[in-house]
């Protein structure tokens, strides 16, 4: 287990420094009966990289990190999961493997089921990413961004967290989030506000309340289907709200190698919001 690096290529640093990053191109792809919405940045001819968000968020959580990763020449695609963002169409598939099966169908429909594709998943998205091999998708690299390895009592509490509830409109959400999260940049406040307005609350509650204990995706990584796939973990700091505790790290290190577990000191569960530079540097190290 090592601390994440903080050196960025010049083009990536410049992309992160801009106050008005590229909004990306929206697309809708029908798969598994779901019209998946996604945002893409970069050159379509570049190496594909898929970003998967967590519960109550959306593809917009990558508003700054997505363009920065695209500055490396990658084709970066962030998906809105069912019940979230502009995808909607919740099918009741709260189990991680069931969600991964739907996402796997989207990979195929979007022509992203290719040997060179890489995947980064955050939180619920990390659980989904870990289950992709069992669903038939074998990315060249899987990166789990703060995958929760916590008991049911911890994860289920998020279902009643006032900051994770839907709002009637974006202005109300922005006002509430700005007061609750003064350290968040305006772009992150707006992205979260939009996500909470768009959220299907029953979808979020099902994910949080009906999956029992969360193991950070370890069981799915130990499935034979995941054998041979390089896996990395970039985790937040447990003292600041990271959901992969120190006690869980040895089991992951045994499976993926201790050198593949990177810790962002002082960073919370969603480090892409308040630690975008360190998060991007760590992701680039994992993606190679």
């Amino acid at each position: 287990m090592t601390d994440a690096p903080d050196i960025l290529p010049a083009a990536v640093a410049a992309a992160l420094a801009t106050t008005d990053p590229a909004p990306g191109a929206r697309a809708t792809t029908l798969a598994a009966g779901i019209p998946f919405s996604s945002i893409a940045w970069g050159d379509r001819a570049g190496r594909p990289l898929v970003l998967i968000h967590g519960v109550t968020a959306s593809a917009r959580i990558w508003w700054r990190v997505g363009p920065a990763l695209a500055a490396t020449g990658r084709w970066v695609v962030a998906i809105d999961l069912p019940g979230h963002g502009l995808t909607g169409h919740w099918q009741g598939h709260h189990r991680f493997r069931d969600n991964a099966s739907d996402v796997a169908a989207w990979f195929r429909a979007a022509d992203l089921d290719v040997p060179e594709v890489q995947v980064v998943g955050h939180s619920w998205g990390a659980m989904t990413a870990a289950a992709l091999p069992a669903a038939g998708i074998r990315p060249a690299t899987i990166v789990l961004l703060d995958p929760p390895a916590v008991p049911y009592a911890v994860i289920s509490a998020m279902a009643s967290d006032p900051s994770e509830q839907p709002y009637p409109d974006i202005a109300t959400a922005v006002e509430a989030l700005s007061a609750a999260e003064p350290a968040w940049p305006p772009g992150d406040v707006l992205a979260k506000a939009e996500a909470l307005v768009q959220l299907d609350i029953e979808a979020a509650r099902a994910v949080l309340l009906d999956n029992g204990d969360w193991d950070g995706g370890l069981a799915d990584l130990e499935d034979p289907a995941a054998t041979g796939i390089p896996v990395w973990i970039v985790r937040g700091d447990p003292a600041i709200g990271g959901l992969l505790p120190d006690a869980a790290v040895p089991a992951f290190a045994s499976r993926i190698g201790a050198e593949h577990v990177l810790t962002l000191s002082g960073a919370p569960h969603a480090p892409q919001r308040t630690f975008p530079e360190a998060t991007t540097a760590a992701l680039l190290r994992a993606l190679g």
Side-chain angles (χ1 to χ4, degrees), residues 126-205:
M127 304 295 285
T128 299
L132 282 175
I137 300 295
R138 284 183 56 84
T141 314
I142 296 174
V143 186
L144 310 182
L145 180 58
D146 210 56
V150 293
Y152 176 76
V154 173
I155 202 73
S156 63
M158 292 176 63
S160 55
D161 185 338
S163 68
E164 299 292 348
Q165 305 305 311
Y167 287 86
D169 57 72
I170 291 176
T172 303
V174 165
E175 182 179 4
L177 288 168
S178 297
E181 303 290 351
W184 287 14
D188 287 288
V189 170
L190 180 58
K192 181 67 171 182
E194 290 177 355
L196 289 175
V197 169
Q198 296 159 346
L199 180 66
D200 182 333
I201 188 60
E202 294 308 316
R205 287 179 61 82

Side-chain angles (χ1 to χ4, degrees), residues 44-244:
R44 184 63 187 258
R47 184 175 190 176
L49 170 62
V50 173
L51 308 179
I52 309 177
H53 67 80
V55 183
T56 76
S58 74
R60 289 269 290 119
I61 196 173
W62 308 105
W63 69 279
R64 183 166 41 182
V65 170
L69 293 170
T72 64
R74 288 175 167 83
W75 171 244
V76 180
V77 185
I79 183 176
D80 280 337
L81 291 176
H84 293 69
L86 298 182
T87 292
H89 291 75
W90 176 245
Q91 305 285 320
H93 296 170
H94 64 277
R95 297 291 184 190
F96 305 128
R97 285 201 178 191
D98 292 338
N99 190 53
S101 180
D102 290 338
V103 173
W106 170 77
F107 267 79
R108 298 182 186 104
D111 297 323
L112 287 165
D113 182 15
V114 293
E116 64 270 23
V117 70
Q118 297 176 296
V119 177
V120 175
H122 171 241
S123 195
W124 175 40
M127 304 295 285
T128 299
L132 282 175
I137 300 295
R138 284 183 56 84
T141 314
I142 296 174
V143 186
L144 310 182
L145 180 58
D146 210 56
V150 293
Y152 176 76
V154 173
I155 202 73
S156 63
M158 292 176 63
S160 55
D161 185 338
S163 68
E164 299 292 348
Q165 305 305 311
Y167 287 86
D169 57 72
I170 291 176
T172 303
V174 165
E175 182 179 4
L177 288 168
S178 297
E181 303 290 351
W184 287 14
D188 287 288
V189 170
L190 180 58
K192 181 67 171 182
E194 290 177 355
L196 289 175
V197 169
Q198 296 159 346
L199 180 66
D200 182 333
I201 188 60
E202 294 308 316
R205 287 179 61 82
V207 173
L208 294 169
L209 297 176
D210 298 337
N211 275 304
D213 298 337
W214 288 33
D215 72 345
L218 186 60
D220 283 315
L221 293 178
E222 290 179 339
D223 187 282
T227 300
I229 299 174
V231 178
W232 290 71
I233 286 175
V234 177
R235 68 176 188 140
D237 188 333
I240 312 294
L243 294 182
L244 183 62

